[in-house]
Amino acid sequence: MAPPSSNGEDGAAPGAPVIETHGLTKRYGSGPPAVDGLDLSVPPGSIFGFLGPNGSGKTTTIRMLMGLIEPTAGGARLLGEPMPGAARRVLPRVGALIEGPALYGFLTGRANLLRYDAADPTADPRTRAARVATALERVGLAAAAGKKARAYSLGMKQRLGLAAALLRPRELLVLDEPTNGLDPQGMREIRSLVRELAADGTTVFLSSHLLDEIEQVCTHAAVMSRGRLIAQGTVAELAAGARGRLAVTTPDTAEAARVLKEHGLTDLVVGEDRVTGELPPGPGGAGPEAVGAGGGPDPAGMGGGPDPADLNAALVAAGVRVRAFGAERASLEDVFVALTGEGFDVAG
Amino acid sequence: MSRAETVVGAAEVRVSRGPSPLWTLGLLRNEIGMTFRRRRTLVLLAVLALVPVLVGIAIRVQTEDGGARGGPAFISLVTNNGLFLVFTSLAATLPVFLPMALGVVAGDAIAGEAGAGTLRYLLVAPAGRTRLLLVKYASTLVFCLVATLVVATSALAVGALLFGLGEVTLLSGTTVPLAEGLLRALAVAGVVALSLIGVAALGLFVSTLTGSGIAAMAMTVGVVITLQILNTIPQLHAVQPYLFPHYWLSFADLLRDPVYWDDIRRNLGLQAVYALVFGSAAWARFTTRDITA
């Protein structure tokens, strides 16, 4: 993933974070802060997953980044400039979808986009109609552009919201739950759109409560819980934090467990026809590049203990009949549970 | 990678060419267009246009059986000259109908956008809070003017149809030609529209306080009606000159010869003060408020 060459006169230095916050805090009333001392750093060119259960402070953070609400303490920089102070210079270069789309039901889809574009004082009115048409095309709404927005389905509204974020070439896209309300086909389309935009050099900041979604598209991720940032880094680094488990499917569970224990596996769980265990940390550890963003079993994700091939040979040598053998890759969900010690539920 | 560079490069070329200052008017044009395309606005204007029709028919019916029996100063004049229906209708709509229609438009200006969630998208576009507020106020003022002209035009048409037009006898007894009468009618409409700028600012301020368009409309209309009532209570004589409806009917002074300017000037001065006070309050509130809707 190549970082965009942002050599603009007022832009950030190349390689400088696209989003940067220092001690960003928002407190409503006297309760616990909604966002507490957030230090976020989003590298240019990344697809950055912003993860956390509902109520963990993701949307409040995004609203502070976009200058909609004033932080109680701390500050944020967007594209190298302070927010909300530089909003007029920065925001035209940022596309956003915040907490779902909001549309004028009595206007057509096209008229909605024309209005949002007119709201941007730096958008050229001479190219407005063409840019609106392109954006509608890009999200697959060209055919429904003349319909009143109140007749749109939730998925169509979501697409129109995305089109509004794509009215101009953007350096940063902030997408809050972009696949909400979409069917699986729509979700796939959005994911490929996000990848396409990132390939063009746009940094994408994607919030979601769907771990799976983040895992599929993101290169980096940050995890929020109860207003605090509990981890951030590349998806590979995060997944490496929670080691994967080795799973053996066999009718000879007792013997398999004995062999695996001999080879240093810990936390063995013996099921009816299945034994799983945690591989010991090896000398090298898992390289960050080892775990790709793609799915599927990934042996290197287990850490750098004994070679799984040797383990399998040992099992067979001991007369264990192996039906299936493989690594269960650590998912972000495992990471999340490991980090917070809790399930992925709404924070109280 | 090279593809990325061309895209970013193109964006920078566009930025460096610099936006024209005129582009900022795009939002105003869009806002005015949107206001007058909304069915709600059209219904309000239709109701306002209906008032002169009802007033005209009422006067026609009343005068047919036994002629004018006193009544308000204008009504006896209407039967002689349809042009006076313009003044009668404006006098009839200014205390209630016009401020009410304005309360709907002004009260909904910010609160309606907040309630629909569109406010956050306008602000990240970025419309700019001060700019958006100015655009909203300007389009509300355009609505004041259009609403007043709708009443005046409808009244002129109905008046001409039911009573005919002719030379105009002013309130001071002087007779002027129809052309000058029409000119004075236009001036009256202008003063009536300007009489509403205080309410418009009040409505806009209320609109920045809440996230519900309906609540803002109701509150604005409520305040207007309360002040009208206060304006009629004799014991409150001391404060009445400071209530914005107090000099509203002074537009009739434009129909004297020579024109009696004192109350008109007081009216416009008072409206300007209200517009300034509530405009500043709206600005102070809107530019510092957290947008959580």
Side-chain angles (χ1 to χ4, degrees), chain A residues 11-151:
Chain A
V18 170
I19 298 175
E20 203 177 9
T21 71
H22 291 292
L24 195 67
T25 302
K26 181 67 186 182
R27 189 185 292 273
Y28 293 108
S30 57
V35 174
D36 191 2
L38 204 66
D39 293 314
L40 203 62
S41 177
V42 176
S46 59
I47 305 180
F48 195 99
F50 194 43
L51 199 57
N54 298 327
S56 58
K58 299 190 302 284
T59 298
T60 303
T61 304
I62 288 176
R63 283 177 180 272
M64 282 193 279
L65 291 177
M66 302 303 291
L68 290 174
I69 63 182
E70 192 86 24
T72 312
R77 295 178 81 81
L78 222 58
L79 301 171
E81 301 207 52
M83 283 298 289
R88 289 201 77 152
R89 279 197 307 283
V90 173
L91 291 182
R93 294 144 67 198
V94 180
L97 187 65
I98 306 162
E99 255 190 305
L103 306 167
Y104 301 90
F106 54 89
L107 294 181
T108 64
R110 186 183 291 108
N112 267 282
L113 294 187
L114 289 172
R115 175 162 173 84
Y116 284 135
D117 197 65
D120 179 354
T122 64
D124 190 343
R126 287 163 297 186
T127 59
R128 183 162 295 151
R131 283 182 293 113
V132 165
T134 312
L136 284 165
E137 194 81 46
R138 196 148 196 194
V139 298
L141 271 185
K147 263 212 245 175
K148 290 261 197 296
R150 77 162 78 83

Side-chain angles (χ1 to χ4, degrees), chain A residues 2 5 7-8 26 28 63 66-70 87 91-92 96-104 106-107 114-116 118-126 169 200-201, chain B residues 1 3-5 7-8 11-12 14 16-17 19 23-24 26-27 30-31 34 37-38 113 116-118 120-127 129 131 136 289-293:
Chain A
S5 51
N7 45 10
K26 181 67 186 182
Y28 293 108
R63 283 177 180 272
M66 302 303 291
L68 290 174
I69 63 182
E70 192 86 24
L91 291 182
L97 187 65
I98 306 162
E99 255 190 305
L103 306 167
Y104 301 90
F106 54 89
L107 294 181
L114 289 172
R115 175 162 173 84
Y116 284 135
D120 179 354
T122 64
D124 190 343
R126 287 163 297 186
D200 285 349
Chain B
M1 174 110 185
R3 208 175 154 199
E5 272 161 0
V7 169
V8 175
E12 269 156 15
R14 195 158 306 167
S16 67
R17 206 199 301 142
W23 292 1
T24 196
L27 185 57
N30 184 282
E31 177 72 29
M34 199 177 87
R37 271 201 308 265
R38 285 192 82 159
E113 302 266 8
T118 46
R120 62 174 184 267
Y121 285 107
L122 290 178
L123 290 181
V124 304
R129 297 193 185 201
R131 174 168 168 254
K136 288 287 184 184
R289 165 182 159 190
D290 279 352
I291 308 297
T292 52

Side-chain angles (χ1 to χ4, degrees), chain B residues 66-248:
Chain B
R69 288 184 296 261
F74 289 149
I75 293 201
S76 55
L77 296 167
V78 172
T79 46
N80 298 327
N81 191 334
L83 187 61
F84 274 89
L85 190 60
V86 174
F87 311 128
T88 312
S89 300
L90 287 174
T93 50
L94 183 53
V96 182
F97 288 101
L98 280 172
M100 216 181 242
L102 183 58
V104 170
V105 172
D108 197 46
I110 299 288
E113 302 266 8
T118 46
L119 181 59
R120 62 174 184 267
Y121 285 107
L122 290 178
L123 290 181
V124 304
R129 297 193 185 201
T130 306
R131 174 168 168 254
L132 184 60
L133 200 63
L134 285 174
V135 162
K136 288 287 184 184
Y137 191 52
S139 73
T140 309
L141 294 186
V142 170
F143 176 79
C144 289
L145 188 64
V146 170
T148 310
L149 288 178
V150 162
V151 173
T153 314
S154 161
L156 186 64
V158 173
L161 218 64
L162 292 183
F163 309 105
L165 297 174
E167 285 196 330
V168 183
T169 308
L170 297 177
L171 295 182
S172 48
T174 331
T175 300
V176 296
L178 180 62
E180 195 190 328
L182 285 172
L183 218 58
R184 288 194 187 224
L186 197 65
V188 164
V191 168
V192 167
L194 287 174
S195 300
L196 294 168
I197 66 173
V199 189
L202 170 77
L204 199 64
F205 171 61
V206 171
S207 193
T208 62
L209 297 179
T210 160
S212 154
I214 302 284
M217 293 178 211
M219 194 168 154
T220 309
V221 174
V223 168
V224 171
I225 290 172
T226 309
L227 287 188
Q228 302 260 32
I229 293 169
L230 293 183
N231 199 31
T232 60
I233 299 177
Q235 285 81 354
L236 296 176
H237 187 74
V239 296
Q240 281 170 359
Y242 304 103
L243 303 178
F244 61 75
H246 189 68
Y247 297 107
W248 268 356

Side-chain angles (χ1 to χ4, degrees), chain A:
Chain A
M1 201 62 50
S5 51
S6 58
N7 45 10
E9 57 279 85
D10 54 348
V18 170
I19 298 175
E20 203 177 9
T21 71
H22 291 292
L24 195 67
T25 302
K26 181 67 186 182
R27 189 185 292 273
Y28 293 108
S30 57
V35 174
D36 191 2
L38 204 66
D39 293 314
L40 203 62
S41 177
V42 176
S46 59
I47 305 180
F48 195 99
F50 194 43
L51 199 57
N54 298 327
S56 58
K58 299 190 302 284
T59 298
T60 303
T61 304
I62 288 176
R63 283 177 180 272
M64 282 193 279
L65 291 177
M66 302 303 291
L68 290 174
I69 63 182
E70 192 86 24
T72 312
R77 295 178 81 81
L78 222 58
L79 301 171
E81 301 207 52
M83 283 298 289
R88 289 201 77 152
R89 279 197 307 283
V90 173
L91 291 182
R93 294 144 67 198
V94 180
L97 187 65
I98 306 162
E99 255 190 305
L103 306 167
Y104 301 90
F106 54 89
L107 294 181
T108 64
R110 186 183 291 108
N112 267 282
L113 294 187
L114 289 172
R115 175 162 173 84
Y116 284 135
D117 197 65
D120 179 354
T122 64
D124 190 343
R126 287 163 297 186
T127 59
R128 183 162 295 151
R131 283 182 293 113
V132 165
T134 312
L136 284 165
E137 194 81 46
R138 196 148 196 194
V139 298
L141 271 185
K147 263 212 245 175
K148 290 261 197 296
R150 77 162 78 83
Y152 279 18
S153 69
L154 182 55
M156 288 161 85
K157 286 179 181 163
Q158 190 78 3
R159 284 160 192 262
L160 195 63
L162 263 171
L166 300 175
L167 283 169
R168 303 177 65 188
R170 312 282 194 185
E171 287 166 55
L172 170 65
L173 274 178
V174 175
L175 304 177
D176 191 4
E177 307 274 1
T179 56
N180 250 5
L182 295 181
D183 52 19
Q185 173 61 26
M187 287 167 107
R188 261 197 301 281
E189 284 173 28
I190 298 301
R191 276 197 293 268
S192 76
L193 182 64
V194 165
R195 290 201 190 95
E196 198 182 299
L197 290 162
D200 285 349
T202 305
T203 307
V204 182
F205 185 82
L206 186 81
S207 98
S208 181
H209 65 278
L210 299 173
L211 293 147
D212 187 43
E213 181 171 291
I214 298 272
E215 250 180 327
Q216 285 192 47
V217 294
C218 293
T219 59
H220 293 66
V223 182
M224 289 276 286
S225 175
R226 296 168 194 262
R228 292 177 160 277
L229 189 67
I230 51 179
Q232 68 176 324
T234 65
V235 169
E237 281 164 6
L238 288 172
R243 279 190 305 279
R245 294 172 71 83
L246 186 77
V248 179
T249 310
T250 169
D252 312 317
T253 49
E255 182 66 7
R258 190 186 61 76
V259 174
L260 291 176
K261 197 169 184 180
E262 258 171 29
H263 283 79
L265 268 76
T266 53
D267 191 24
L268 287 170
V269 179
V270 181
E272 199 170 313
D273 62 344
R274 191 176 141 90
V275 179
T276 67
E278 202 165 290
L279 284 158
E289 73 284 353
V291 183
D298 186 343
M302 302 180 300
D307 189 337
D310 295 340
L311 277 175
N312 196 14
L315 284 168
V316 174
V320 175
R321 293 165 292 165
V322 177
R323 284 202 190 111
F325 179 94
E328 287 178 336
R329 193 170 65 94
S331 68
L332 277 177
E333 184 161 6
D334 299 329
V335 177
F336 189 84
V337 171
L339 285 170
T340 60
E342 61 186 276
F344 204 67
D345 296 321
V346 177

